[in-house]
Amino acid sequence: MNAIHDSALPVPERYLRDDPAAGVFDVHRDVYRDPALFELEMRHVFERHWVFLAHETQLPKPLDYLATWIGRQPVLLHRDDKGKIGAFLNVCPHKGAAVCQSESGNRKFHVCPYHGWTFDARGNCVLVKDRAQGAYPAHFEQADTRLPPLARFGNYRGFLFGSLNPDVPPLEEHLAGISAFLDMIVDQSEHGTEVIPGRSYYTYDANWKMQLENCLDAYHLTSTHPSFINIAASRASGGSSFRNIDIADFVDPAIPSGSYTFANGHGAIWIHTANPEVRPLYRQYDALKARVGQQRADMMLKTINFTVFPNLQFSCNACIQMRVMRPLAVDRTEMRSYCIGPKGEPADQRKLRIHQFEDFFNPTGLATPDDSRVYESVQMGLRARSAPAVGLGHLRGLRQVIQGPDEFAREIGITPLTSSSGRSDVQDETVFHGSYREWARRIKAGLASEVTP
Amino acid sequence: MSPEQALATGSALLYRQARLLDERRWQDWLDLFTEDCEYWVPAWLSEQRQTEDPNTQVSLIYYDLRSRLADRVWRVQSGTSVASDPMPRTCHAITNIQVDEAGDDAIRLFAVFRVDYHWRAQSQAYFGHYQHTLRRDGTDWRIARQKISVLNDYIPTLLDFYLV
């Protein structure tokens, strides 16, 4: 008997069976293909908790604005004339039109396109058109005409997060152990980090959790990206002046690697880079070491991928990609892809960083399209409902995982819930478990809160 | 060179490029470019503005050497890239060709393109503007610069050189 998906079980236990001592971590395939579950995810995983919105350098100047989303709900960020960023729902309190029509720009006011109500960068309604002549009842005059502010809005060293629900822990507490990884990006320059202009938005026709997992999946590299591996090898042997990471090096068992899960669904993997000299950052190594210490400088030169649950990911190989996930449907996902880099970087290093980024990432790179097509293959394969309902995709490395920090984690001062480290060819899959545990916890808590007494 | 001659020369080269891509004659396609060619698909900063400097802003694709374009050709031919297996069927349509400069050794052109493609029971299209600089190479003309502004930049899964 297969207890998982027994309809007598409550959601989410129906979809997830988690018993580390018994070596069990079963994910029901409906988590990728059940539209009803997708609704629960939007409501409880995305729309009740902290979600990443944008990086502050995406709206650098006074009166810059940026439109984004929390789950399915439209959000507007607007920097005021004093430089302070406000975060609102992008909806007119009058008839409900989105007051901001474009994805980004610079303006003093947003004017609702329907009846002309006008809002400043602090979300205040500065004009209700023809208010005096409106013969409004008294309670209208008392009503709140502001753009609805987000219940919570927080800035962690330039990374902006919001929540529609006031009842969330402080942002620092939510980020917990993963903030050390954000720090490792920010601290690559004494001036902090920035989003380099030029974005790409793309979609793939598969569930958002394909991307959630793939970012921390070292197991797919050699089988999904052989074309990139070969191109990198051919550049190295052909003496090409242009170099990028060589992912073939990652599967040399002698290369140390590790993976960590953190509280609140965050996770990270690291792999020692065999050719750190191809990185733009490597040229700053001595200065970096002097500023942040050798351990952290060395860590910054490793390949590190990490997830800030549920919608933000970083892929740091030679350069750094910031990805923002926006689930559109159970089988469709929008990705926003950005190159980020240390502020004040010398021009030749910035140029190299940008071209390495274009080479590997983006829906136009030599690696990412292979990932996206693979997600679509998975989504197609999952239509085989007659196949066993539980996949075998979350078990690699299970016998190796330990509770708490391993030696390397202690060395660099991070506090994961679980650690797995050693030979790089283990290519651990247990690093996904933390995100699913948080996913289940949020859905369970959300459903419980909706039960009317 | 007269504008009429430049238009005839330029159009012939653009049409040939389109056909070579559709017929997947990759090496012949690569041979259309100069060694030091610039191949540039800018990204967008917002809905209205595209990137202008490939060295300080991110492009969708940017190369300043033909040998880097060759990496992409190798990849689609290798059979080792999921993204190009099966290869989409493509149909490049090029029109509105205008001559911006008609020199004896260089021609600059503007044109619009639409590339319809079909992959696994789905037909989709990219469209936008081409700006080409062609350079005389003996009796032949080659592409010294090709800038492709993709107007529908909300990208369904992937975009590559054979789709624009």
Side-chain angles (χ1 to χ4, degrees):
Chain A
M1 193 199 77
N2 188 1
I4 198 168
H5 211 247
D6 179 343
S7 57
L9 283 172
V11 176
E13 283 87 339
R14 207 180 294 173
Y15 300 97
L16 190 64
R17 196 166 50 179
D18 178 15
D19 184 351
V24 170
F25 195 89
D26 289 344
V27 177
H28 194 286
R29 288 181 158 164
D30 277 357
V31 304
Y32 307 106
R33 64 190 180 191
D34 180 351
L37 191 57
F38 180 80
E39 286 299 304
L40 294 181
E41 288 180 335
M42 292 304 96
R43 238 173 31 233
H44 303 309
V45 178
F46 281 79
E47 294 174 5
R48 291 175 61 91
H49 287 267
W50 286 110
V51 164
F52 176 72
L53 299 172
H55 190 265
E56 64 181 10
T57 58
Q58 291 177 260
L59 47 170
K61 297 187 301 294
L63 305 176
D64 279 353
Y65 67 89
L66 185 88
T68 184
W69 302 85
I70 294 181
R72 297 159 298 188
Q73 304 195 28
V75 168
L76 175 63
L77 304 177
H78 204 161
R79 192 185 280 276
D80 71 20
D81 50 3
K82 304 273 195 297
K84 185 166 184 262
I85 299 173
F88 316 98
L89 284 166
N90 183 10
V91 56
C92 182
H94 177 230
K95 280 291 189 76
V99 298
C100 172
Q101 313 300 312
S102 48
E103 69 182 55
S104 62
N106 182 280
R107 59 174 50 159
K108 200 166 179 184
F109 301 109
H110 285 285
V111 180
C112 179
Y114 199 1
H115 298 90
W117 289 28
T118 300
F119 304 88
D120 69 13
R122 296 179 188 90
N124 295 313
C125 182
V126 296
L127 178 76
V128 172
K129 187 182 70 169
D130 301 338
R131 181 173 198 149
Q133 303 93 314
Y136 283 118
H139 69 84
F140 179 92
E141 297 297 345
Q142 308 304 319
D144 189 353
T145 55
R146 290 177 305 160
L147 289 181
L150 296 191
R152 286 280 181 274
F153 180 54
N155 182 341
Y156 183 79
R157 305 194 69 190
F159 297 97
L160 307 174
F161 294 81
S163 168
L164 301 174
N165 172 15
D167 188 21
V168 286
L171 179 60
E172 279 71 15
E173 192 182 313
H174 164 71
L175 294 174
I178 206 66
S179 58
F181 286 81
L182 288 168
D183 292 343
M184 271 184 275
I185 287 178
V186 177
D187 292 337
Q188 290 186 13
S189 153
E190 56 191 319
H191 311 292
T193 195
E194 65 186 339
V195 172
I196 300 171
R199 91 290 189 270
S200 66
Y201 293 176
Y202 63 100
T203 56
Y204 63 80
D205 289 332
N207 190 267
W208 67 281
K209 296 188 292 302
M210 310 278 180
Q211 175 65 59
L212 182 77
E213 294 187 23
N214 189 71
C215 182
L216 305 184
D217 179 340
Y219 189 38
H220 80 287
L221 291 171
T222 48
S223 41
T224 303
H225 302 299
S227 70
F228 188 84
I229 290 171
N230 280 321
I231 287 170
S234 134
R235 285 171 182 158
S237 65
S240 167
S241 60
F242 181 71
R243 300 287 306 280
N244 205 338
I245 52 144
D246 187 349
I247 50 184
D249 289 339
F250 294 175
V251 287
D252 174 352
I255 296 239
S257 74
S259 59
Y260 301 110
T261 68
F262 295 94
N264 306 323
H266 317 307
I269 60 171
W270 63 270
I271 305 169
H272 181 76
T273 305
N275 59 344
E277 72 283 355
V278 306
R279 296 170 170 239
L281 188 66
Y282 188 73
R283 305 184 196 178
Q284 314 289 331
Y285 182 64
D286 290 338
L288 195 62
K289 210 164 51 175
R291 192 164 52 78
V292 303
Q294 176 154 4
Q295 265 173 351
R296 296 191 72 215
D298 287 348
M299 189 66 185
M300 290 174 189
L301 287 166
K302 297 187 192 310
T303 290
I304 302 170
N305 284 14
F306 65 97
T307 294
V308 182
F309 191 77
N311 71 328
L312 174 64
Q313 294 188 319
F314 293 87
S315 198
C316 319
N317 48 53
C319 54
I320 304 173
Q321 186 197 32
M322 181 172 90
R323 295 189 189 103
V324 186
M325 287 180 273
R326 179 184 161 216
L328 300 176
V330 70
D331 57 358
R332 189 164 162 80
T333 305
E334 177 192 278
M335 300 296 301
R336 299 181 174 201
S337 167
Y338 304 92
C339 180
I340 73 174
K343 275 188 195 167
E345 185 171 42
D348 60 331
Q349 292 165 35
R350 177 55 62 92
K351 178 178 160 184
L352 173 64
R353 174 182 303 282
I354 287 170
H355 296 325
Q356 286 175 330
F357 178 86
E358 292 156 352
D359 192 53
F360 193 91
F361 295 115
N362 274 351
T364 44
L366 299 179
T368 294
D370 291 324
D371 291 317
S372 302
R373 280 288 190 235
V374 162
Y375 309 156
E376 293 176 343
S377 296
V378 175
Q379 198 72 30
M380 187 177 96
L382 292 177
R383 293 166 76 169
R385 289 176 186 271
S386 302
V390 173
L392 298 170
H394 300 85
L395 297 170
R396 274 185 85 86
L398 204 140
R399 277 194 291 113
Q400 181 177 283
V401 69
I402 62 164
Q403 297 300 306
D406 62 8
E407 192 188 327
F408 184 76
R410 276 192 292 270
E411 221 171 76
I412 60 168
I414 60 171
T415 51
L417 293 180
T418 66
S419 307
S420 173
S421 56
R423 294 169 59 98
S424 67
D425 55 356
V426 169
Q427 301 159 343
D428 173 54
E429 290 173 338
T430 67
V431 68
F432 315 139
H433 297 189
S435 292
Y436 279 100
R437 286 177 185 136
E438 175 66 6
W439 173 91
R441 191 187 70 77
R442 289 186 182 192
I443 291 175
K444 197 169 179 170
L447 285 171
S449 74
E450 284 185 345
V451 174
T452 43
Chain B
M1 174 176 276
S2 74
E4 293 74 20
Q5 284 173 310
L7 181 63
T9 302
S11 303
L13 200 147
L14 261 54
Y15 295 151
R16 178 168 163 76
Q17 176 179 31
R19 181 169 175 176
L20 293 173
L21 284 169
D22 289 343
E23 292 179 353
R24 301 178 194 167
R25 291 164 58 190
W26 308 122
Q27 191 52 53
D28 292 340
W29 176 74
L30 273 177
D31 289 343
L32 296 179
F33 290 86
T34 64
E35 291 275 356
D36 61 347
C37 68
E38 182 179 56
Y39 182 100
W40 184 23
V41 186
W44 288 79
L45 297 165
S46 64
E47 289 108 317
Q48 307 306 329
R49 291 173 55 222
Q50 64 182 5
T51 53
E52 288 162 1
D53 178 357
N55 292 324
T56 61
Q57 299 172 321
V58 179
S59 304
L60 291 177
I61 304 175
Y62 180 78
Y63 298 111
D64 55 7
L65 285 173
R66 184 175 69 195
S67 57
R68 307 243 171 105
L69 266 180
D71 284 346
R72 281 184 183 259
V73 166
W74 177 85
R75 180 165 172 267
V76 300
Q77 286 180 306
S78 70
T80 60
S81 163
V82 190
S84 42
D85 181 26
M87 275 295 282
R89 302 193 285 268
T90 65
C91 186
H92 285 66
I94 294 165
T95 184
N96 298 20
I97 303 175
Q98 295 176 19
V99 176
D100 286 340
E101 183 192 326
D104 286 336
D105 296 308
I107 299 172
R108 284 195 303 115
L109 301 167
F110 173 90
V112 303
F113 70 90
R114 177 179 164 108
V115 182
D116 286 88
Y117 64 99
H118 185 86
W119 190 88
R120 282 207 177 160
Q122 278 188 36
S123 292
Q124 286 169 317
Y126 286 110
F127 57 86
H129 300 145
Y130 281 156
Q131 285 173 275
H132 280 81
T133 301
L134 310 181
R135 203 158 69 204
R136 187 192 288 281
D137 179 7
T139 55
D140 290 335
W141 287 81
R142 295 194 195 285
I143 301 168
R145 181 172 189 266
Q146 172 163 303
K147 179 181 173 188
I148 305 173
S149 302
V150 181
L151 298 185
N152 53 334
D153 71 319
Y154 191 77
I155 294 167
T157 312
L158 62 88
L159 184 155
D160 211 334
F161 73 95
Y162 52 84
L163 295 176
V164 291

